[in-house]
C-alpha cells in the first residue's frame, strides 16, 4: 500500500512538475512573443520616421533645384548683359580713336567727375559743366 501511495505521489509530483514546466515554458513563449511585438512596433515607428525624413529631404532637394535653376538663369542673363556691354565698349573704343586718346590723357579732376556724372544722369542738368571755385554756378 505504501508502494502504491508512493507511486501515486510520484505520479502527482511528476504531473505537477510537468504542469509547472508547461506553465513556465508558456510564460517564456508569451514573454518572447511580447518582446518580438515590441521590437516590431519599434521598427515600424523607426521606419515611419525615416520615411518622413526622406520625404522632407526630397522636398528640400526640389527647393534647392528650383533655386539653383533660377540662379543659373540669372547668371546667364547677367553673362549676356556683360557680354553685350563688353562688345559695346570695345566698339566704342575702336570707333572713336580721338575719344579714347582724350580719355587716356590726364584730365583735370573736375572734368573727369563731370564725364562720370554725364554717364550716370540723363537730362539737361547733366550738360552743365561742373562748378568750380573760380566760376560760380549759373
Amino acid at each position: 500500500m505504501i508502494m502504491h501511495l508512493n507511486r501515486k505521489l510520484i505520479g502527482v509530483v511528476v504531473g505537477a512538475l510537468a504542469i509547472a514546466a508547461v506553465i513556465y515554458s508558456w510564460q517564456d513563449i508569451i514573454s518572447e512573443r511580447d518582446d518580438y511585438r515590441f521590437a516590431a512596433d519599434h521598427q515600424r515607428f523607426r521606419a515611419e520616421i525615416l520615411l518622413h525624413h526622406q520625404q522632407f529631404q526630397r522636398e528640400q532637394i526640389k527647393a534647392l533645384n528650383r533655386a539653383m535653376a533660377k540662379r543659373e538663369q540669372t547668371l546667364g542673363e547677367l553673362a549676356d548683359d556683360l557680354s553685350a556691354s563688353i562688345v559695346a565698349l570695345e566698339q566704342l573704343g575702336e570707333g572713336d580713336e580721338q575719344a579714347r586718346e582724350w580719355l587716356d590723357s590726364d584730365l583735370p579732376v573736375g572734368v573727369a567727375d563731370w564725364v562720370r556724372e554725364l554717364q550716370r544722369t540723363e537730362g539737361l542738368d547733366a550738360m552743365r559743366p561742373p562748378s568750380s571755385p573760380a566760376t560760380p554756378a549759373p
Side-chain angles (χ1 to χ4, degrees), residues 104-115:
D104 288 341
S105 68
D106 292 332
L107 298 173
V109 176
V111 174
D113 291 341
W114 179 57
V115 170

Side-chain angles (χ1 to χ4, degrees), residues 13-136:
V13 169
V14 168
L17 287 174
I19 290 174
V22 167
I23 290 173
Y24 179 75
S25 295
W26 183 255
Q27 287 177 344
D28 190 41
I29 290 170
I30 289 174
S31 176
E32 284 182 23
R33 181 197 65 191
D34 292 342
D35 289 344
Y36 288 133
R37 281 185 181 168
F38 176 76
D41 289 341
H42 180 70
Q43 291 301 325
R44 269 190 230 105
F45 181 69
R46 284 191 55 179
E48 286 180 23
I49 290 173
L50 290 172
L51 286 173
H52 286 295
H53 182 68
Q54 185 180 32
Q55 180 64 30
F56 173 75
Q57 285 182 331
R58 283 185 185 142
E59 290 172 7
Q60 292 297 314
I61 289 170
K62 287 178 185 176
L64 287 172
N65 284 338
R66 285 191 300 267
M68 291 299 289
K70 186 175 181 179
R71 178 181 175 265
E72 288 297 320
Q73 180 184 4
T74 303
L75 286 174
E77 291 171 359
L78 289 173
D80 292 343
D81 290 346
L82 186 60
S83 295
S85 296
I86 289 172
V87 168
L89 286 173
E90 287 174 352
Q91 290 174 351
L92 179 64
E94 291 171 359
D96 195 359
E97 188 66 32
Q98 183 182 9
R100 186 170 8 147
E101 287 176 13
W102 183 74
L103 288 173
D104 288 341
S105 68
D106 292 332
L107 298 173
V109 176
V111 174
D113 291 341
W114 179 57
V115 170
R116 282 191 204 104
E117 191 63 32
L118 280 175
Q119 293 173 353
R120 282 190 227 137
T121 61
E122 294 180 8
L124 296 177
D125 289 338
M127 296 310 223
R128 269 194 237 136
S131 61
S132 66
T135 59

